[in-house]
Amino acid sequence: MHDEVLEHLKDGIRKFRREIYPPQADRYKRVMSEPQRPHALIITCADSRIHPDTLTQALPGDIFTTRNIGNMVPQYGEMLGGVSAVLEFAVMAMQVEHIAVCGHSECGAMKALVEPETTESMPTVKAWLTNAHAALVEAEKIQAERRERGEDEGDLLRIVTEQNVLLQRRHVRTHASVRKALETGALTISGWV
């Protein structure tokens, strides 16, 4: 079975080499021979159903992407690592003009946030999800306010997903390189679901 998975991946590479690359060879060669100059950084979930290039119709070289469980960005200084390095490099070295934090429906990370018992056997995932805990608190507050007004509470998962995108946008702004680029007008940030 594992061999089948590997063969499927290899078939995809062969198809790329045979059918996709040849008609676009000049573009790929040009992109590889020039410095990288993507216009945007997309921060999205590692979910296998999300394809940032397809969603944005980006071509090679158009966007810089980082993906992780729950499209999270730790606040600056809390968990310095891959996401922080990507932000700093994208803003300072590549001078991207826009950062988009992209959440999505039916996100497993958001489901785990709502149902924390599902991550009991995954301590690393559980620790990572602390980067979104404030989104859950805010979502529960929104539901309580709606309930008090006699309104439909709405779907908790949807609200958490939206609140997480807003929270991660705020976290992006805590990074010094981002703050400086925002102050000079060289950068904008958006949030998508």
Side-chain angles (χ1 to χ4, degrees), residues 172-189:
V172 167
R173 293 173 183 274
T174 66
H175 292 256
S177 58
V178 172
R179 270 198 323 272
K180 184 177 178 184
L182 287 168
E183 288 170 3
T184 64
L187 180 68
T188 56
I189 303 172

Side-chain angles (χ1 to χ4, degrees), residues 10-182:
K10 289 159 86 177
D11 286 344
I13 292 169
R14 288 183 199 103
K15 181 177 179 179
F16 175 81
R17 286 182 175 169
R18 192 176 54 249
E19 298 174 27
I20 308 299
Y21 180 82
Q24 300 181 56
D26 289 342
R27 177 170 178 72
Y28 280 107
K29 288 176 186 172
R30 187 177 74 252
V31 169
M32 293 307 294
S33 68
E34 298 171 353
Q36 202 177 168
R37 299 300 300 172
H39 52 79
L41 166 63
I42 308 291
I43 301 166
T44 195
C45 190
D47 190 299
S48 62
R49 300 166 294 182
I50 306 302
H51 288 243
D53 294 346
T54 302
L55 288 172
T56 63
Q57 291 299 290
L59 296 171
D62 286 349
I63 62 173
F64 199 58
T65 306
T66 189
R67 300 173 68 145
N68 63 62
I69 294 173
N71 44 272
M72 293 189 212
V73 179
Q75 291 188 66
Y76 185 77
E78 285 189 10
M79 290 183 173
L80 291 179
V83 178
S84 300
V86 167
L87 271 172
E88 189 173 85
F89 186 77
V91 172
M92 296 183 76
M94 293 190 292
Q95 300 175 340
V96 296
E97 298 170 28
H98 188 79
I99 296 173
V101 177
C102 180
H104 67 96
S105 58
E106 299 302 316
C107 179
M110 297 303 100
K111 287 179 181 179
L113 201 58
V114 171
E115 300 170 2
E117 66 279 1
T118 62
T119 60
E120 286 304 318
S121 65
M122 296 179 270
T124 306
V125 172
K126 188 175 179 177
W128 179 251
L129 291 176
T130 62
N131 290 299
H133 183 72
L136 176 61
V137 171
E138 186 62 26
E140 289 171 339
K141 179 181 165 189
I142 289 169
Q143 279 197 316
E145 290 170 354
R146 289 176 179 174
R147 190 171 38 253
E148 287 175 19
R149 293 190 304 262
E151 298 173 6
D152 178 9
E153 292 181 12
D155 178 53
L156 180 59
L157 182 59
R158 174 73 182 187
I159 299 167
V160 169
T161 300
E162 292 167 351
Q163 290 303 310
N164 182 55
V165 168
L166 296 173
L167 176 64
Q168 302 315 318
R169 279 183 53 203
R170 288 193 300 273
H171 287 178
V172 167
R173 293 173 183 274
T174 66
H175 292 256
S177 58
V178 172
R179 270 198 323 272
K180 184 177 178 184
L182 287 168

